[in-house]
Amino acid sequence: MDWIKYTVDYGIIGLLILMSIVVLAIVIERLMVYRNLRLDEFKDKRKLELELTGNLHLIGTVGRNAPYLGLLGTVLGIMLTFYDMGASGRMDAGQIMVGLSLALKVTAAGLLVAIPAVTAYNLLQRRVKVLVTNWEIRHG
């Protein structure tokens, strides 16, 4: 069952780190697009909206799913703790605490990825709405 510990430590937390890097890259890319955007170049509102909302769905997906990935790591960590307790035939409080701290570490990592992702998604969605509204004011 040691593979579960490595899966939780390196697999799930590594995936959460990768997800946070992807979110950061998309946020930077979107901010650059918004800064360099010329509203007058768009004659069609739908084309403007497509340009503005590109890749935002990925940020939302990470924000919504990172807590579940953390929860998966928590469940695996708790399973590992119970397995180790059953296999050893004794209940060592130190061993239980180490297992539970591993589980909770993954939950925290999931939340640390999700909260900034959801915040960034909401802020970028607001920026899209402002830009579309400004386009509508200019183009009637």
Side-chain angles (χ1 to χ4, degrees):
M1 291 294 271
D2 282 341
W3 66 272
I4 292 179
K5 181 178 187 295
Y6 294 112
T7 300
V8 171
D9 261 350
Y10 299 110
I12 295 178
I13 290 179
L15 187 56
L16 286 167
I17 290 170
L18 177 66
M19 290 166 70
S20 66
I21 291 169
V22 168
V23 166
L24 182 61
I26 293 171
V27 167
I28 291 170
E29 183 265 340
R30 288 286 88 198
L31 290 174
M32 290 173 60
V33 167
Y34 299 161
R35 187 179 66 198
N36 297 323
L37 188 75
R38 305 287 178 254
L39 291 177
D40 296 330
E41 293 177 1
F42 293 90
K43 303 299 180 206
D44 185 17
K45 180 182 172 184
R46 292 176 298 181
K47 286 184 181 180
L48 173 64
E49 288 174 341
L50 282 174
E51 178 67 24
L52 293 174
T53 58
N55 294 329
L56 287 184
H57 65 285
L58 295 174
I59 298 172
T61 300
V62 168
R64 287 177 186 87
N65 289 303
Y68 294 118
L69 195 54
L71 182 60
L72 174 63
T74 300
V75 169
L76 291 174
I78 291 172
M79 283 174 41
L80 179 63
T81 301
F82 287 140
Y83 177 82
D84 288 343
M85 285 173 26
S88 69
R90 58 180 167 71
M91 293 183 57
D92 179 19
Q95 185 181 19
I96 294 170
M97 294 303 126
V98 168
L100 294 179
S101 69
L102 171 67
L104 294 175
K105 176 175 66 173
V106 183
T107 301
L111 292 173
L112 287 173
V113 171
I115 293 169
V118 170
T119 302
Y121 178 79
N122 289 334
L123 292 172
L124 291 173
Q125 283 290 89
R126 171 65 181 150
R127 184 74 177 130
V128 166
K129 188 174 183 177
V130 167
L131 289 168
V132 169
T133 301
N134 284 334
W135 183 90
E136 289 174 339
I137 289 170
R138 292 180 187 175
H139 292 88

